[in-house]
Amino acid sequence: MQTALTTALPDIIQEMGVTANAGQWLTSGFSLAMGIMIPATAWLIQRFPTKPLFITSMFLFSAGALVAAIAPTFVWLLIGRITQALGTGILLSLTQVVILTIYPQAQQGGMMGIYGLAASAAPIIAPTITGLLIDYMSWRIIFWFGLGVALVDIIFALVVMKDVLPTRREHFDWPSFLLVSAAFTGITIGFGNLGTAPFLSSGIALPLGVALLMAVVFVWRSLRIEKPLLDLRAFRNRVFRTAVILSVLMYAILIAASTLFPIYVQTVHHLSATVSGLIMMPGSLLMAVMSPITGRLYDRFGIRPLVLTGGTLLLVSSIGTSFLTIGTSVAYLTAVWTIRSAALACMMMPIVTWSVTQLSGGAIASASAILTTLRTIAGAVGAAVMVALMAFVTKQGHVGQPAVASVGGMNAAFMALTVLASVLLVISLWSVRRNKAVEGE
């Protein structure tokens, strides 16, 4: 659901009668709400039993899907999306913590690889499914479909789930929660307004300034109190610190590319949402197949070979999309996107698993929340910045040749993603050590 509306936004904007800037909040608002909810999940996991917490998250998701499916106005649709995001925020961290707690370290890579079938492949597959649905039915079917899956999920959970994580009574750190919420909101609003206002305007500089101030106060407070909302002392661990940096870069590239690619296919090539989705389908299928395999490879060989392979493939695919033309073939686009998907399969879940190899108990919940929160916000910011860059370069392009101008803007955005991919690969070469024994030193 985080990326499902990428190809449906034009239809929603037209039906609801809103601007493109307002419509984009259906995506960025979802990421923001999810990013705000995830830090609280570290406390929820320790406070409430596993099964009721999981079912509660799915009920929130279901309620949001229902509201969005029947929404009479854009405001109600946005409320539905935000409610969905609250449930998703709980679900993502909870699932990772359960897997990393109940399995020994030697099996964590394989199990996280299986989990990666959903967490890694779903954001890539979603635009494909959406494209097929909206070309033949209303965009509302997306939410009815999500509601159906969620209800089936709840039934399975009632039957088979158990309470597997220890609980204890802990005070909830409301001041820190409000600080981190304000910081993430400021970041999302500030970067979301890029391209619609001057950088030093109140619409951009003010929310970013407030976000920076709130973030500084949050970090200062978290390092001074005994039981903070998020235990930032995890950053003292070199492995975790490196994993967070790699995940932030990777998610910024992933969400930005997932947003830009359908726009290029539909606006430059004038292909349908269905074709746009089908171009991405081989990569999605490859990613789903590779996730369990890369998990097993992590258990056997450690993180370094996977990250270097994934980083190299990601750089190659980013370079491959930096020189597009109005005549670039569909076969080429499919091949480049498939390479990108293979790169993400090599890195996404193995990096999450690697990030907590030095941690245990409650520290895993906090570390998982930190990692998931930062990469979620990075995805939203990455998409906003790259779309703004694309729009800016397009406006400076060939007058009277909108397709050529659009390609120029798209290439500029993908060149920027190539720079991020290069940074990711350099960090991998420099900071990711050869095997798990060494990594633990």
Coordinates of all heavy atoms in Angstrom, one line a residue, residues 170-223:
E170 N 6.3 -0.4 31.0 CA 7.3 0.7 30.8 C 6.5 2.0 30.6 O 5.4 2.0 30.0 CB 8.1 0.4 29.5 CG 9.1 -0.8 29.6 CD 10.3 -0.5 30.5 OE1 10.4 0.7 30.9 OE2 11.1 -1.4 30.7
H171 N 7.1 3.1 31.1 CA 6.5 4.4 30.9 C 6.8 4.8 29.4 O 7.9 4.7 28.9 CB 7.2 5.4 31.8 CG 6.8 6.8 31.6 ND1 5.6 7.3 31.8 CD2 7.6 7.9 31.0 CE1 5.5 8.6 31.4 NE2 6.7 9.0 31.0
F172 N 5.7 5.4 28.8 CA 5.9 5.9 27.4 C 6.4 7.3 27.4 O 5.9 8.2 28.1 CB 4.5 5.8 26.7 CG 4.6 6.2 25.2 CD1 5.2 5.3 24.3 CD2 4.1 7.4 24.7 CE1 5.3 5.7 23.0 CE2 4.2 7.7 23.4 CZ 4.8 6.8 22.5
D173 N 7.4 7.5 26.6 CA 8.1 8.8 26.6 C 7.4 9.7 25.6 O 7.8 9.9 24.4 CB 9.6 8.6 26.2 CG 10.4 9.8 26.2 OD1 9.9 10.8 26.7 OD2 11.6 9.8 25.8
W174 N 6.4 10.4 26.1 CA 5.6 11.2 25.2 C 6.4 12.4 24.7 O 6.2 12.8 23.5 CB 4.3 11.7 26.0 CG 3.2 10.7 26.0 CD1 2.8 10.0 27.0 CD2 2.4 10.4 24.9 NE1 1.7 9.2 26.6 CE2 1.5 9.4 25.3 CE3 2.3 10.9 23.6 CZ2 0.5 8.9 24.5 CZ3 1.3 10.3 22.7 CH2 0.4 9.3 23.2
P175 N 7.2 13.1 25.5 CA 7.9 14.3 25.0 C 8.8 13.9 23.8 O 8.9 14.6 22.8 CB 8.8 14.7 26.1 CG 8.0 14.3 27.3 CD 7.4 13.0 27.0
S176 N 9.5 12.7 23.9 CA 10.3 12.3 22.8 C 9.5 11.9 21.5 O 9.9 12.2 20.4 CB 11.2 11.1 23.2 OG 12.1 11.4 24.1
F177 N 8.3 11.3 21.8 CA 7.5 10.9 20.7 C 7.0 12.2 19.9 O 7.0 12.2 18.7 CB 6.3 10.1 21.2 CG 5.3 9.7 20.1 CD1 5.6 8.8 19.2 CD2 4.1 10.4 20.0 CE1 4.7 8.4 18.2 CE2 3.2 10.0 19.0 CZ 3.5 9.0 18.1
L178 N 6.6 13.2 20.7 CA 6.2 14.5 20.0 C 7.3 15.2 19.3 O 7.1 15.7 18.2 CB 5.6 15.4 21.1 CG 4.3 14.9 21.8 CD1 3.9 15.9 22.9 CD2 3.2 14.7 20.7
L179 N 8.5 15.1 19.8 CA 9.7 15.7 19.2 C 10.0 15.0 17.9 O 10.2 15.7 16.8 CB 10.9 15.6 20.1 CG 10.9 16.6 21.3 CD1 12.0 16.2 22.3 CD2 11.1 18.0 20.8
V180 N 10.0 13.7 17.9 CA 10.4 13.0 16.7 C 9.3 13.1 15.6 O 9.5 13.2 14.4 CB 10.7 11.5 17.0 CG1 9.4 10.7 17.2 CG2 11.5 10.8 15.9
S181 N 8.0 13.2 16.1 CA 6.9 13.4 15.2 C 7.0 14.7 14.5 O 6.8 14.9 13.2 CB 5.6 13.3 15.9 OG 5.4 12.0 16.5
A182 N 7.3 15.8 15.2 CA 7.5 17.1 14.7 C 8.7 17.1 13.7 O 8.6 17.8 12.6 CB 7.7 18.1 15.8
A183 N 9.7 16.4 14.0 CA 10.9 16.4 13.1 C 10.6 15.8 11.8 O 10.9 16.3 10.7 CB 12.1 15.7 13.8
F184 N 9.9 14.6 11.9 CA 9.6 13.9 10.6 C 8.6 14.7 9.8 O 8.6 14.7 8.6 CB 9.1 12.5 10.9 CG 10.1 11.6 11.4 CD1 9.8 10.5 12.3 CD2 11.5 11.7 11.1 CE1 10.8 9.6 12.7 CE2 12.4 10.9 11.6 CZ 12.1 9.8 12.4
T185 N 7.6 15.3 10.5 CA 6.6 16.1 9.8 C 7.3 17.3 9.0 O 7.0 17.5 7.9 CB 5.5 16.6 10.7 OG1 4.9 15.5 11.4 CG2 4.5 17.4 10.0
G186 N 8.2 18.0 9.7 CA 8.9 19.1 9.1 C 9.7 18.7 7.9 O 9.7 19.4 6.9
I187 N 10.4 17.5 8.0 CA 11.2 17.0 6.9 C 10.3 16.7 5.7 O 10.6 17.1 4.6 CB 12.0 15.8 7.3 CG1 13.1 16.2 8.4 CG2 12.6 15.1 6.1 CD1 13.8 15.0 9.0
T188 N 9.2 16.0 5.9 CA 8.3 15.6 4.8 C 7.7 16.8 4.2 O 7.6 16.9 2.9 CB 7.3 14.6 5.3 OG1 7.9 13.6 6.0 CG2 6.4 14.1 4.2
I189 N 7.2 17.8 5.0 CA 6.6 19.0 4.4 C 7.6 19.8 3.7 O 7.3 20.3 2.5 CB 5.9 19.8 5.5 CG1 4.7 19.0 6.1 CG2 5.4 21.1 5.0 CD1 4.0 19.7 7.3
G190 N 8.7 20.0 4.3 CA 9.8 20.8 3.6 C 10.2 20.3 2.3 O 10.2 21.0 1.3
F191 N 10.6 19.0 2.2 CA 11.0 18.4 1.0 C 9.8 18.2 0.0 O 10.0 18.2 -1.2 CB 11.8 17.1 1.2 CG 13.2 17.3 1.7 CD1 13.5 17.0 3.1 CD2 14.2 17.8 0.9 CE1 14.8 17.2 3.5 CE2 15.4 18.0 1.4 CZ 15.7 17.7 2.7
G192 N 8.7 18.0 0.6 CA 7.5 17.8 -0.3 C 7.1 19.1 -1.0 O 6.5 19.0 -2.1
N193 N 7.5 20.3 -0.5 CA 7.2 21.5 -1.2 C 8.3 21.9 -2.2 O 8.1 23.0 -2.8 CB 7.0 22.6 -0.1 CG 5.7 22.5 0.6 OD1 4.8 21.9 0.1 ND2 5.7 23.0 1.8
L194 N 9.3 21.2 -2.3 CA 10.3 21.5 -3.3 C 9.7 21.5 -4.7 O 8.9 20.6 -5.0 CB 11.5 20.4 -3.3 CG 12.5 20.5 -2.2 CD1 13.4 19.4 -2.2 CD2 13.3 21.8 -2.3
G195 N 10.1 22.4 -5.5 CA 9.5 22.5 -6.9 C 8.2 23.4 -6.9 O 7.8 23.8 -8.0
T196 N 7.6 23.7 -5.8 CA 6.4 24.5 -5.8 C 6.7 25.8 -5.1 O 5.8 26.7 -5.1 CB 5.3 23.8 -5.0 OG1 5.6 23.6 -3.7 CG2 5.0 22.5 -5.7
A197 N 7.9 26.0 -4.5 CA 8.2 27.3 -3.8 C 9.7 27.4 -3.7 O 10.4 26.4 -3.8 CB 7.6 27.2 -2.4
P198 N 10.2 28.7 -3.6 CA 11.6 28.9 -3.5 C 12.2 28.2 -2.3 O 11.5 28.1 -1.2 CB 11.7 30.4 -3.4 CG 10.5 31.0 -4.0 CD 9.4 29.9 -3.7
F199 N 13.5 27.8 -2.3 CA 14.0 27.0 -1.3 C 14.0 27.7 0.1 O 13.8 27.1 1.1 CB 15.5 26.6 -1.6 CG 16.1 25.7 -0.6 CD1 15.7 24.3 -0.5 CD2 17.0 26.2 0.3 CE1 16.3 23.5 0.4 CE2 17.6 25.3 1.3 CZ 17.2 24.0 1.3
L200 N 14.3 29.1 0.0 CA 14.3 29.8 1.3 C 13.0 30.4 1.7 O 12.9 31.2 2.6 CB 15.4 31.0 1.1 CG 16.8 30.5 1.0 CD1 17.7 31.8 0.8 CD2 17.3 29.7 2.1
S201 N 11.9 29.9 1.1 CA 10.6 30.4 1.4 C 10.1 29.7 2.7 O 10.7 28.7 3.2 CB 9.6 30.1 0.3 OG 9.4 28.7 0.2
S202 N 9.0 30.3 3.3 CA 8.5 29.7 4.5 C 8.0 28.3 4.3 O 7.9 27.5 5.3 CB 7.4 30.6 5.0 OG 6.3 30.8 4.1
G203 N 7.6 28.0 3.1 CA 7.0 26.7 2.8 C 8.1 25.6 2.8 O 7.7 24.4 3.0
I204 N 9.4 25.9 2.7 CA 10.4 24.9 2.7 C 11.4 25.2 3.8 O 11.6 24.3 4.7 CB 11.2 25.0 1.3 CG1 10.3 24.6 0.2 CG2 12.4 24.0 1.4 CD1 10.9 24.7 -1.2
A205 N 12.0 26.3 3.9 CA 13.0 26.6 4.9 C 12.5 26.5 6.3 O 13.1 26.0 7.2 CB 13.6 28.0 4.7
L206 N 11.3 27.0 6.6 CA 10.7 27.0 7.9 C 10.5 25.6 8.4 O 10.9 25.3 9.5 CB 9.4 27.8 7.9 CG 8.7 27.9 9.3 CD1 9.6 28.5 10.3 CD2 7.4 28.7 9.2
P207 N 9.7 24.7 7.7 CA 9.5 23.4 8.2 C 10.9 22.6 8.4 O 11.0 21.8 9.3 CB 8.6 22.7 7.2 CG 8.7 23.5 6.0 CD 9.0 24.9 6.5
L208 N 11.8 22.8 7.5 CA 13.1 22.1 7.6 C 13.9 22.6 8.8 O 14.5 21.8 9.5 CB 13.9 22.3 6.3 CG 13.4 21.5 5.1 CD1 14.3 21.8 3.9 CD2 13.3 20.0 5.3
G209 N 13.8 23.9 9.1 CA 14.5 24.5 10.3 C 13.9 24.0 11.5 O 14.6 23.6 12.5
V210 N 12.5 23.9 11.6 CA 11.9 23.3 12.8 C 12.2 21.9 12.9 O 12.5 21.4 14.1 CB 10.3 23.5 12.6 CG1 9.6 22.7 13.7 CG2 9.9 25.0 12.7
A211 N 12.3 21.1 11.8 CA 12.6 19.7 11.9 C 14.0 19.5 12.5 O 14.3 18.6 13.3 CB 12.5 19.1 10.5
L212 N 15.0 20.3 12.0 CA 16.3 20.2 12.5 C 16.4 20.5 14.0 O 17.1 19.8 14.8 CB 17.2 21.2 11.7 CG 18.7 21.3 12.2 CD1 19.4 19.9 12.0 CD2 19.5 22.3 11.4
L213 N 15.7 21.5 14.4 CA 15.7 21.9 15.9 C 15.1 20.8 16.7 O 15.6 20.4 17.7 CB 14.9 23.2 16.1 CG 14.7 23.6 17.5 CD1 16.1 23.9 18.2 CD2 13.8 24.9 17.6
M214 N 13.9 20.2 16.3 CA 13.3 19.2 17.0 C 14.2 17.9 17.0 O 14.2 17.2 18.0 CB 12.0 18.8 16.3 CG 10.9 19.9 16.4 SD 10.4 20.4 18.1 CE 11.4 21.9 18.3
A215 N 14.9 17.6 15.9 CA 15.7 16.5 15.9 C 16.9 16.6 16.9 O 17.3 15.6 17.6 CB 16.3 16.3 14.5
V216 N 17.5 17.8 16.9 CA 18.6 18.0 17.9 C 18.1 17.8 19.3 O 18.8 17.2 20.1 CB 19.2 19.4 17.7 CG1 20.2 19.8 18.8 CG2 19.9 19.5 16.3
V217 N 17.0 18.4 19.7 CA 16.4 18.3 21.0 C 16.1 16.8 21.3 O 16.3 16.3 22.4 CB 15.2 19.2 21.2 CG1 14.5 18.9 22.6 CG2 15.5 20.6 21.0
F218 N 15.5 16.1 20.3 CA 15.2 14.7 20.5 C 16.5 13.9 20.8 O 16.5 13.0 21.8 CB 14.5 14.1 19.3 CG 14.4 12.6 19.3 CD1 13.4 12.0 20.1 CD2 15.2 11.8 18.5 CE1 13.3 10.6 20.1 CE2 15.1 10.5 18.5 CZ 14.1 9.9 19.3
V219 N 17.5 14.1 20.1 CA 18.8 13.3 20.3 C 19.4 13.7 21.7 O 19.8 12.8 22.4 CB 19.8 13.7 19.2 CG1 21.2 13.1 19.5 CG2 19.3 13.1 17.9
W220 N 19.4 15.0 22.0 CA 19.9 15.4 23.3 C 19.1 14.8 24.5 O 19.7 14.3 25.4 CB 19.8 16.9 23.4 CG 20.2 17.5 24.8 CD1 21.4 17.8 25.2 CD2 19.3 17.9 25.8 NE1 21.4 18.3 26.5 CE2 20.1 18.4 26.9 CE3 17.9 17.9 26.0 CZ2 19.5 18.8 28.1 CZ3 17.3 18.3 27.2 CH2 18.2 18.8 28.2
R221 N 17.8 14.7 24.3 CA 16.9 14.1 25.4 C 17.2 12.6 25.5 O 17.3 12.1 26.6 CB 15.5 14.5 25.1 CG 14.5 13.8 26.1 CD 13.1 14.1 25.8 NE 12.2 13.3 26.5 CZ 11.9 13.5 27.8 NH1 12.3 14.5 28.4 NH2 11.0 12.6 28.5
S222 N 17.2 12.0 24.3 CA 17.3 10.5 24.3 C 18.6 10.0 24.9 O 18.7 8.9 25.5 CB 17.3 10.0 22.8 OG 16.0 10.3 22.3
L223 N 19.7 10.8 24.8 CA 21.0 10.4 25.4 C 21.1 10.8 26.9 O 22.1 10.4 27.5 CB 22.1 11.1 24.6 CG 22.3 10.7 23.1 CD1 23.3 11.5 22.5 CD2 22.5 9.2 23.0

